[in-house]
Amino acid sequence: VVKLKIWQRPAYLFYQWVWTGLDWLLPPRCGGCGKLGNRWCFDCQREIVTIDPPFCERCGDSQKANGICARCVAAPPGYTALRSWASFNGPLRNAIHRLKYGRDVALGEVLARPMINYLKQTGWKVDIVVPVPMSLSRRAERGYNQAALLARPIALSFGLEYRSRALRKTRETRSQVGLSLGERQANVRGAFEADRRVVSGKQILVVDDVTTSGATLNACARALRVAGAREIYCLTLARAI
Ligand SMILES: [Zn+2]
Ligand SMILES: [Zn+2]
């Protein structure tokens, strides 16, 4: 991702200042370990296990050599590429849990930073940033979408268009936790719809907090393709392996 208009940069800096200002008023606890002082501490950062090559060029799954994995050859995914910053355990797992259930909204800004750095190295060309949506009832229950808390600062930092309603969930799905790969795919198949007016002909970046099998992102990507999106790149903060 390279698109960055200089006049849009202050919007991201302002966004960061707001959260930093709030930290002064109300000293935060680390999302990873609960220690007082920073939203994300140095000790937790040191425990991060990033996901590095070699991995499948499409789904990003670790494998012995670069290239496309057997699963993606047999059933090519709807997205152009899927990548994740780090492995889903330890402090990162705690932080995502807090982002999701603890209403720890300020964590989104700090956890988006490594995703921003990751994107700078991808060479992906992106027009629009889109969070993976939740169903309306779940959204109403929680009050916010944790994927949006990551997607918005990413869009701001690159001066990209942020479209939270480009994707929409068309039906309820049960939690993917504990389901097999086949069950996960069936659970989310056809559960998303994309707005053609927004995504047609565009290069899309879809953002989520965690991926396990990639089934949700694949379903999102298929909906975007159907609506005419040109390229679909997916980035998640973490990947459960
Ligand atoms: Zn910590
Ligand atoms: Zn693959």
Side-chain angles (χ1 to χ4, degrees), residues 128 130 163 166-167 194-204 223-230:
I128 301 177
V130 176
R163 299 302 289 261
L167 272 170
D195 187 338
R196 178 173 290 276
R197 291 165 303 179
V198 175
V199 306
S200 181
K202 297 288 172 61
Q203 308 177 102
I204 317 283
L224 287 162
R225 286 252 185 247
V226 166
R230 191 143 56 97

Side-chain angles (χ1 to χ4, degrees), residues 71 79 82 176 181 184 211-219 239:
R71 224 175 65 189
Y79 47 73
L82 160 60
Q176 299 273 73
L181 175 60
R184 282 167 185 265
T211 184
T212 303
S213 62
T216 300
L217 288 162
N218 197 19
R239 182 181 294 238

Side-chain angles (χ1 to χ4, degrees), residues 30 32-35 41 44:
C30 169
C33 65
K35 196 163 53 193
C41 80
C44 287

